[in-house]
Amino acid sequence: MDPRSIRQTRRSATRRVLVFLGIPVLLIIVVVASVIAHYATTNRGPVSSNPPSHARGEHRPAPGTDPAASEVATRPMPELPATAAQPHELAPRPAGTPISLPSPDEARRTWIPAGFPATSAGALAKLKALDEHGVSGGEPRTYARAYTASAAAGAPDSRGSALWMLLTQFRESADLPEREPAPGLEVRFQITHGLIKGTADHGRFVVVCVLGQINVTNQGQNASSGVGDCQALRFSAGQWRISAGPRAAYAPSAWPGSQESVDAGYRALTGAGT
């Protein structure tokens, strides 16, 4: 059997099992997000123990890469169980004081807001803008376009990012062709929490992580899951871009505001950039 037929058979089998278990197609995204939470936090990649060919070797620093920056980027994040991403009760106390996000430069009218200040909070605001705009609509190619528009030369490929793989697997599992519209389907990513993992190069390099709630609506039904994303950014030529060099370790995914999100260090986001 050729590879394409094998993939189609697997997708059909997955859907039949979910339907047999009484899980509507709409809720597949919750299952997929939970799988991503489990594999990403164990640094094995969201959908396979073998990384895709375009992602292999990205944890190896390129010649000339700042060792301190590489260490911050690739340092493993906390591990969380897959169930942590599913909706459940909130923690009685937050992880710390909220992080106030700055607003973008209104003079720069671009699809992905730009012109955030050269601070760690500015980098966090940039990643929030990138992810919310890129995931909106649930199209992998839209996210890839947003990622590429925000990446420096030599940055990791968008196809190795957790969000790209989530969107791709979601559409495949739900039998939704990547380049065809799905009437009645709405996908929205609302980021409410974040953390600053670390900095290097006098603050010009920073690894930040965001955590939000991805909501899927289809024919009046709703499903939600918590999803995290970490990226390494560098401030250059007056703006934050996804940095060249190794990919940042995958983010832990948790239901925003839950005890698991607190344990992972996620703090609420406030300010003009929210």
Side-chain angles (χ1 to χ4, degrees):
M1 184 179 294
D2 63 272
R4 182 177 180 180
S5 298
I6 292 174
R7 288 194 297 269
Q8 291 176 338
T9 300
R10 287 176 177 172
R11 289 198 297 268
S12 298
T14 299
R15 186 169 184 176
R16 284 198 301 271
V17 170
L18 292 171
V19 172
F20 175 75
L21 293 175
I23 302 176
V25 173
L26 177 62
L27 297 182
I28 292 177
I29 194 168
V30 176
V31 178
V32 174
S34 297
V35 171
I36 283 195
H38 175 70
Y39 283 102
T41 55
T42 54
N43 292 305
R44 290 181 290 172
V47 296
S48 172
S49 58
N50 296 314
S53 58
H54 49 261
R56 291 173 188 157
E58 288 182 344
H59 278 40
R60 300 175 184 173
T65 300
D66 179 5
S70 296
E71 190 281 327
V72 173
T74 60
R75 186 192 313 142
M77 297 295 290
E79 295 185 12
L80 295 176
T83 54
Q86 299 178 13
H88 58 286
E89 67 278 1
L90 303 183
R93 289 180 297 276
T97 57
I99 301 174
S100 180
L101 298 185
S103 59
D105 182 355
E106 296 297 336
R108 301 188 183 186
R109 296 186 179 278
T110 56
W111 174 42
I112 306 298
F116 294 100
T119 62
S120 295
L124 193 55
K126 174 63 179 184
L127 182 58
K128 178 179 184 293
L130 161 62
D131 285 356
E132 288 185 337
H133 283 73
V135 173
S136 178
E139 286 278 1
R141 59 178 175 170
T142 301
Y143 174 77
R145 185 161 64 93
Y147 180 102
T148 302
S150 304
D157 195 296
S158 64
R159 294 173 297 170
S161 66
L163 291 178
W164 186 89
M165 287 188 277
L166 182 148
L167 295 174
T168 300
Q169 291 297 304
F170 161 58
R171 293 188 73 88
E172 288 184 355
S173 298
D175 285 341
L176 299 174
E178 180 181 343
R179 296 182 179 275
E180 294 183 14
L185 176 66
E186 296 181 8
V187 179
R188 183 168 179 263
F189 190 27
Q190 182 179 11
I191 293 172
T192 56
H193 292 71
L195 63 86
I196 299 166
K197 183 182 179 184
T199 65
D201 192 17
H202 306 288
R204 290 188 289 267
F205 176 92
V206 60
V207 178
V208 291
C209 306
V210 294
L211 177 70
Q213 181 176 322
I214 190 164
N215 301 297
V216 181
T217 301
N218 188 35
Q219 307 300 330
Q221 294 183 311
N222 298 281
S224 302
S225 178
V227 176
D229 181 44
C230 289
Q231 298 291 344
L233 288 86
R234 182 175 289 278
F235 193 80
S236 177
Q239 63 179 313
W240 287 103
R241 288 189 175 277
I242 298 174
S243 177
R247 183 183 305 282
Y250 290 114
S253 288
W255 185 247
S258 66
Q259 188 60 52
E260 292 90 343
S261 74
V262 170
D263 293 342
Y266 287 113
R267 294 156 59 186
L269 301 178
T270 62
T274 57

